[in-house]
Amino acid sequence: MAATAITPTSTGAPAPRTAPGFALLGTVQATLIFTLMAISVPLPDIGREFGLDHSRLVLLNAAYGLSFAALLLLGGRLTDRYGGRRMLTTGLVVLGLASIAAPAAPGYTALLLLRFLQGAAAALVAPAGMAVLRTLLPGPAAYGRAMATWGGLSVLGATTGNLASGAVASWLSWRWMFAVPVVVAAGALALAPALLPRDPARDRRPALDLPGAVLATAGTVLVSYGLVLTETGGWQLPLTLGLLVLVAFVLRERRAAQPLLPLGFLRGGRRLLGLAATLLSAGGTATLFLLLTLHLQQDLGWTPLATSGAFLPYAAALLLGGRAAGPLVGRIGPKAVTGIGLATGAAGLFALAHLGAGSGYLPLVPGLVLLPFGAALAFAGAAVLATDGVPEEQIGLAGGVLNTAMELGPTVLLTALLTVGSSGAALAAAGVLFALTALAGTLTGRRG
């Protein structure tokens, strides 16, 4: 289909002509994060079934996110080189096949490798989806409004994954969680030819910086793996090696003729604010999910199903925030919306700062409403800021960088906050970071 004469609607949603294509891409994006969270709540059940110790459970839980984050830059540049729809369909095929095989995994090693493969497929799909969206909505106004909605899809997928995993683990088996990516991948592959535009023809395609890709992937994997291992010990060596490899990556990119990540791409207060807000929002919500899940199940003795139900106010606030975000971005600008979202999220985190072994559930509800509402606004504004003004030949790169911030946020921020001390102190520290970032955004200029 041709992507021409696109007119944004007053609500911030895509115009009717493009709505089915946007809905398809949005469902795929939310499913990627749903799949990330698919085994989070039933993880203890998997550990008992396969006889896993704590360290192997930690690695299994992190496997999807490790490969996802590590390969996003490469996935973005492959998208810029070979086209969004081509890379989207390639990634969906791999995701679907890995998700078909995962429920039949006979043991830990097979399931671990399939989770890595799912994450690698997601690293192709996520930036490719953003590139196809740019082709579907070529007008700056329409694309900006669509990105305001796009920004909340990942946190919606994470919330749905947590809610569904508890119910499925209680009523069926954790293996049924993999039915969702299978169905979505199959449906998207069937509908893509009719709903999504073909890749535009280009005279020039960026070369692939393979040495840079190797360094970026290795460095991200080592740093993320080191951070994941902080609870189990033995983290210093991979973390140190990873930081050294990332330094080598930066040095490589400074002198590469066609770098994987042009360092100038990260210059500019608006884009940096968008990436920082994305990292913080992803990290803050992930921190709450982990700490509250542990509190409800370990301290209060709640079942996985009841624990999933505890996040219903969170899900409702998230939906309301996402619905309000698009019109707000159009009215007051993405920078203002991002700042308001971070400030609201900070208030929610401060309201949750009394979380501890003796705290009940009801006093936590105000924070469970304020944090997701603010995170939805912050994600929406940040997605627009991070992709604003990106040339067409770098839209895959922009998608890779934005999703990298989203994936690294939980690992980096969660690890840093857990060193603070108690759960309440960790949430309060996250609130301080939210507030400081909101303040920094206002100091960089008031124009949205």
Side-chain angles (χ1 to χ4, degrees):
M1 60 179 283
T4 57
I6 304 302
T7 303
T9 65
S10 60
T11 63
R17 185 182 301 179
T18 59
F22 180 84
L24 177 62
L25 292 171
T27 300
V28 169
Q29 174 67 15
T31 300
L32 298 182
I33 312 302
F34 176 97
T35 308
L36 172 68
M37 307 302 296
I39 63 171
S40 57
V41 174
L43 198 62
D45 294 338
I46 299 173
R48 285 189 290 271
E49 181 174 335
F50 291 150
L52 305 180
D53 57 24
H54 181 68
S55 61
R56 290 196 291 175
L57 272 180
V58 168
L59 182 56
L60 181 62
N61 190 47
Y64 181 102
L66 280 174
S67 55
F68 192 178
L71 293 168
L72 272 166
L73 284 179
L74 178 60
R77 293 313 260 168
L78 286 170
T79 292
D80 290 334
R81 180 172 176 81
Y82 296 109
R85 202 173 90 170
R86 180 183 296 181
M87 289 297 99
L88 179 72
T89 54
T90 301
L92 285 171
V93 169
V94 178
L95 178 66
L97 292 176
S99 301
I100 289 172
Y108 166 75
T109 301
L111 183 58
L112 179 68
L113 292 175
L114 288 167
R115 289 292 283 172
F116 275 122
L117 186 58
Q118 284 183 315
L124 278 181
V125 172
M130 285 183 58
V132 176
L133 180 63
R134 177 68 167 267
T135 307
L136 186 69
L137 297 168
Y143 181 71
R145 289 176 181 271
M147 284 306 300
T149 302
W150 191 266
L153 292 174
S154 294
V155 70
L156 176 63
T159 304
T160 306
N162 274 276
L163 291 173
S165 62
V168 170
S170 298
W171 295 333
L172 297 170
S173 163
W174 59 268
R175 297 174 187 270
W176 282 96
M177 289 296 293
F178 294 103
V180 173
V182 171
V183 171
V184 171
L189 287 169
L191 293 173
L195 299 182
L196 301 181
R198 294 182 180 275
D199 297 323
R202 293 180 189 167
D203 295 331
R204 295 177 63 252
R205 295 183 181 272
L208 287 180
D209 176 20
L210 292 180
V214 171
L215 290 172
T217 301
T220 305
V221 166
L222 287 168
V223 168
S224 300
Y225 183 60
L227 291 172
V228 165
L229 289 180
T230 51
E231 292 184 51
T232 61
W235 56 272
Q236 295 94 337
L237 180 59
L239 183 59
T240 302
L241 287 175
L243 292 174
L244 291 174
V245 172
L246 288 179
V247 169
F249 169 69
V250 171
L251 295 175
R252 159 74 192 180
E253 299 306 277
R254 290 181 63 182
R255 65 175 185 270
Q258 296 192 53
L260 182 75
L261 174 60
L263 299 184
F265 182 83
L266 299 178
R267 295 196 189 105
R270 287 168 62 86
R271 184 162 295 148
L272 289 177
L273 174 62
L275 295 174
T278 299
L279 187 147
L280 283 177
S281 298
T285 52
T287 299
L288 173 62
F289 266 123
L290 175 65
L291 295 180
L292 185 58
T293 297
L294 292 176
H295 171 64
L296 293 176
Q297 294 194 36
Q298 296 180 355
D299 298 334
L300 302 185
W302 287 29
T303 64
L305 181 60
T307 299
S308 292
F311 286 96
L312 287 174
Y314 183 106
L318 180 68
L319 291 173
L320 288 174
R323 188 169 183 82
L328 273 177
V329 168
R331 191 173 302 128
I332 64 176
K335 182 181 288 187
V337 172
T338 301
I340 292 170
L342 289 172
T344 305
L349 287 163
F350 290 138
L352 292 162
H354 62 279
L355 176 66
S359 59
Y361 172 71
L362 287 180
L364 304 174
V365 172
L368 282 175
V369 172
L370 287 172
L371 175 59
F373 188 86
L377 295 182
F379 268 118
V384 178
L385 291 173
T387 57
D388 186 31
V390 175
E392 184 178 335
E393 65 271 13
Q394 287 189 331
I395 192 60
L397 172 64
V401 171
L402 178 63
N403 281 278
T404 298
M406 196 178 300
E407 290 306 306
L408 288 180
T411 302
V412 174
L413 191 63
L414 179 60
T415 302
L417 292 175
L418 290 181
T419 64
V420 172
S422 67
S423 297
L427 293 170
V432 171
L433 291 175
F434 272 56
L436 289 176
T437 305
L439 178 61
T442 63
L443 295 177
T444 60
R446 297 185 177 275
R447 189 177 174 114

